[in-house]
């Protein structure tokens, strides 16, 4: 069965009330045995007959039920002809208008398949008829939503459009397909439901049709509701929009499906249909400039934020339309608050391969040499600015690969490499994800490379700063003198890892205590190598000062301050100093005594002992300047 799909239901010039009264006159003439007037050619009843391919009997059944619904006296006169049943029946209408007598409608009647009319069996084998309320409303000129769809479907409002969306080309193809009688189904391959809705509404506007959207899963288990959905689309000339997971909505059984459909999201491919042109379209995600425009549009108060903060928010967070809208709905008070909220939306699962490092370090917490700090600021600037650079066609052409940012932090343990990675991530407003090398590195052939490719391919990783500690375990020097299969596979893993990291578009920070052990070919692929050094005495004193200020009351910290220079004469890394200060804080709380330089020195001696460095009591006393 074919159905004519599109056309404005209001295109006819016949008033619905005038048409109904004309049909009522036709029914009355048939009851009186008089000459029955012809139907109005441009009326809604004729349009309904054309839409659903009704024969003359089926059209007359609709006319009788429609007019009887508004005129009880007419209904009584009709029922008087069927005194045995007391209902309007197929037999009554067929005899009234001179059609071949039928006690019931055929099973394949469009009236039944499209649920325009319902049959109610009678004991004599006939059937009483009732007209669907939605059809009564439509014939009367009302465009109300079918009750089976209420709360489950709605017309999509128009939203913003992205310049990169191929709307004009698609609209032209759709119009050509409709003109040629072809059906077209467009799958919007995106998990961003809001972007898909905006895309669909914009496409519908270009072809002059509203878009009727169904909530995902709302009609999946109701075949009758699916029929009613397509019926609504034919009646009101609406493009259908539903989730690809609701594939059953595409073609309800027994009836023709609406010829323009837009689906969104994943799901299994639709069954092949020679009558359908299936097209996959990937709506472009918003770039930095589009994201900034969306922030201003969806959150007007963002225009009052510092321009550079809003620009950084749009630049650093690769957020979708739906994610920006969701955060904007919470009305964040600042770009920093929006960044924090957005990070919650952007977080995803990388499985057991990573863990998020939650710390609130800032640049003021770092105690580093000026040259080291300057290199870290270069890394941070490039991490933020690189997206703008790669948006320039000439730069993108010159560097088809290697657009990610890879930095190596090299230096002894405890010199601030992890803290520096955290500071950079916080400055960019991104999460810091520490890679669990015990989960990545595998003894099985090829599994290490597979794990790393899985990690680098995840959206959660690409929207964060990835941190590899002890990176030499992954990127050790390749075996030059290959003796066995293990050597070959080890070299293969290293090559795959290098290639995967070179193609990675995100930010990676590697840390190592053994830079000399890393393959030189890999070092050449790293954008920045930052050397961290053990702190000298002034730097150690500053680390002590910051730790004491954080862990002890201000008065106690002030009293200790003159003695910190002596304690700082003892060589130790920043991590050991922080741990010693923490142990001293707990010790002072336990004993109820104020901290002393001797207590700090004793706690530091313990920490040094963990690393095999012995600091005797005599050496400690000498360092602190205590009398012999």
């Amino acid at each position: 069965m074919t159905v004519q799909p599109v056309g404005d239901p209001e295109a006819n010039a016949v008033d619905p009330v005038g048409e109904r009264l004309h049909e009522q006159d036709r029914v009355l003439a048939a009851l009186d045995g008089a000459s029955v007037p012809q139907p109005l050619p441009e009326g809604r009843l004729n349009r309904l007959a054309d839409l659903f391919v009704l024969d003359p009997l089926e059209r007359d059944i609709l006319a009788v039920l429609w007019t009887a619904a508004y005129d009880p006296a007419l209904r009584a006169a009709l029922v008087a002809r069927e005194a045995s049943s007391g209902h309007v029946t197929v037999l009554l209408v067929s005899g009234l208008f001179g059609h071949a007598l039928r006690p019931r409608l055929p099973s394949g009647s469009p009236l039944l398949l499209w649920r325009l009319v319902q049959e109610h069996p009678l004991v004599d084998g006939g059937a009483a008829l009732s007209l669907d309320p939605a059809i009564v409303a439509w014939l009367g000129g009302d465009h109300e939503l079918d009750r089976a769809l209420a709360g489950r479907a709605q017309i999509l409002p128009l939203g913003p459009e992205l310049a990169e969306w191929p709307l004009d080309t698609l609209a032209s193809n759709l119009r050509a397909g409709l003109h040629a009688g072809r059906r077209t189904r467009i799958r919007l391959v995106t998990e961003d439901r809001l972007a898909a809705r905006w895309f669909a509404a914009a496409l519908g506007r270009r072809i002059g049709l509203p878009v009727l959207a169904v909530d995902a899963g709302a009609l999946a288990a109701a075949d009758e509701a699916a029929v009613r959905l397509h019926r609504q689309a034919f009646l009101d000339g609406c493009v259908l929009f539903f989730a690809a997971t609701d594939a059953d909505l595409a073609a309800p059984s027994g009836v023709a499906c609406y010829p323009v459909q837009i689906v969104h999201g994943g799901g299994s491919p639709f069954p092949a249909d020679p009558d359908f042109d299936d097209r996959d379209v990937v709506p472009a995600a918003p770039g930095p400039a589009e994201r900034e425009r969306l922030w201003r549009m969806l959150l007007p108060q963002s225009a009052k934020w510092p321009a550079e903060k809003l620009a950084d928010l749009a630049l650093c967070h690769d957020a979708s339309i739906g994610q920006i809208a969701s955060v904007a709905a919470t009305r964040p008070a600042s770009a920093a608050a929006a960044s924090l909220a957005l990070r919650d939306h952007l977080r995803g699962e990388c499985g057991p391969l990573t863990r998020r490092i939650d710390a609130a370090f800032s640049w003021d917490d770092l105690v580093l040499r000026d040259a080291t700090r300057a290199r870290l600021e270069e890394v941070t600037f490039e991490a933020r600015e690189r997206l703008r650079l790669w948006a320039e066609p000439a730069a993108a052409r010159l560097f088809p690969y290697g657009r990610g940012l890879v930095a190596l932090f090299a230096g002894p343990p405890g010199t601030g490499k992890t803290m520096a990675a955290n500071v950079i991530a916080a400055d960019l407003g991104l999460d810091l994800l520490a890679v669990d090398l015990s989960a990545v590195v595998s003894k099985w052939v090829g599994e290490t490379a597979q794990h790393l490719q899985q990690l680098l391919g995840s959206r959660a990783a690409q929207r964060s700063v990835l941190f590899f500690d002890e990176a030499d375990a992954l990127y050790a020097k390749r075996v030059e003198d290959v003796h066995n299969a293990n050597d070959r596979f080890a070299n293969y893993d290293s090559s795959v890892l290098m290639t995967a990291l070179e193609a990675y578009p995100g930010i990676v920070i590697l840390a190592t205590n053994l830079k000399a052990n890393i393959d030189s070919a890999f070092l050449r692929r790293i954008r920045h190598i930052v050397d961290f050094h053990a702190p000298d005495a002034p730097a150690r004193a500053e680390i002590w000062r910051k730790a004491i200020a954080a862990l002890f009351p201000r008065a106690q910290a002030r009293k200790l301050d003159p003695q910190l220079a002596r304690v700082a004469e003892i060589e130790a890394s920043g991590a050991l100093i922080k741990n010693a200060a923490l142990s001293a804080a707990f010790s002072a709380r336990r004993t109820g005594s104020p901290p002393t330089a001797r207590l700090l020195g004793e706690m530091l001696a313990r920490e040094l002992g963990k690393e095999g460095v012995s600091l005797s009591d005599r050496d400690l006393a000498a360092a602190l300047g205590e009398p012999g």
Side-chain angles (χ1 to χ4, degrees), residues 61 65 82 85 87-93 102-105 112 117-130:
I61 287 174
L65 294 174
E82 279 283 355
S85 68
H87 297 282
V88 175
T89 63
V90 178
L91 187 62
L92 168 64
V93 178
R102 296 192 64 95
R104 301 187 64 168
L105 290 168
L112 299 179
V117 166
Q118 186 174 356
E119 280 190 330
H120 307 276
L122 299 173
V123 294
D124 62 359
L129 301 174
S130 61

Side-chain angles (χ1 to χ4, degrees), residues 132-135 137-138 142-155 212-214 228-229 231-233 235-236 238:
D132 188 278
I135 301 304
W138 189 86
D142 296 328
H143 292 278
E144 68 177 35
L145 195 62
D146 191 292
R147 294 176 185 179
L149 307 178
R152 304 174 181 179
Q154 59 281 323
I155 297 295
L212 182 62
V214 181
R228 290 177 179 275
L229 175 68
R231 188 184 75 180
Q232 189 89 42
L235 290 174
D236 293 337
C238 298

Side-chain angles (χ1 to χ4, degrees), residues 164-234:
E164 295 82 1
W165 288 349
L167 295 167
D168 291 329
T169 301
L170 278 175
S172 177
N173 292 338
L174 277 176
R175 285 191 292 267
L178 287 172
H179 183 73
R182 296 197 309 270
R183 299 170 176 172
T184 304
R185 184 165 46 208
I186 297 172
R187 185 201 293 264
L188 301 180
V189 185
T190 176
E191 295 303 323
D192 187 347
R193 181 169 173 267
L194 182 58
R197 291 167 70 89
W198 286 358
F199 189 106
L203 185 58
R205 181 176 67 84
R206 278 169 168 74
I207 62 174
L209 298 176
V211 179
L212 182 62
V214 181
D215 297 333
L219 302 178
D223 184 64
E224 178 169 335
V227 171
R228 290 177 179 275
L229 175 68
H230 283 259
R231 188 184 75 180
Q232 189 89 42
F234 279 112

Side-chain angles (χ1 to χ4, degrees), residues 387-452:
L387 296 177
R388 289 194 182 99
L389 179 64
W390 300 133
E392 299 174 7
R397 184 188 64 81
L398 189 61
F399 291 90
Y401 302 104
R403 297 182 190 174
L405 174 62
V406 182
L408 175 67
F409 294 173
T415 51
K417 299 186 293 294
T418 302
M419 179 185 285
N422 190 281
V423 168
I424 290 174
D427 194 313
L428 297 172
L430 303 176
D431 281 337
L432 182 66
L433 296 183
V435 177
D436 184 356
L437 290 182
S438 65
V440 172
V441 178
S442 171
K443 66 179 180 180
W444 303 108
V445 172
E447 197 167 78
T448 299
Q450 180 181 351
H451 287 165
L452 193 62

Side-chain angles (χ1 to χ4, degrees), residues 13-25:
V14 178
D15 174 64
V17 175
E19 181 185 4
R20 176 169 53 80
L21 293 176
H22 179 79
E23 291 297 331
Q24 183 174 306
D25 289 342

Side-chain angles (χ1 to χ4, degrees), residues 263-339:
V263 299
H264 65 92
S268 302
F270 288 101
D273 187 338
D275 295 329
F276 255 114
D277 290 337
D278 281 314
R279 302 184 183 186
D280 284 354
V281 177
V282 182
E290 292 283 9
R291 291 196 292 268
E292 186 171 346
R293 181 174 72 91
L294 288 171
W295 278 114
R296 294 181 184 276
M297 182 183 305
L298 298 173
L299 187 64
Q301 60 261 42
S302 66
K304 300 179 181 178
W305 298 346
E308 67 277 6
K309 297 295 185 182
L310 180 57
D312 283 350
L313 177 68
L315 183 67
C316 294
H317 289 290
D318 180 21
S320 68
I321 290 174
Q323 289 161 345
I324 292 174
S326 180
V327 172
T330 66
R331 298 294 183 264
S334 65
S339 177

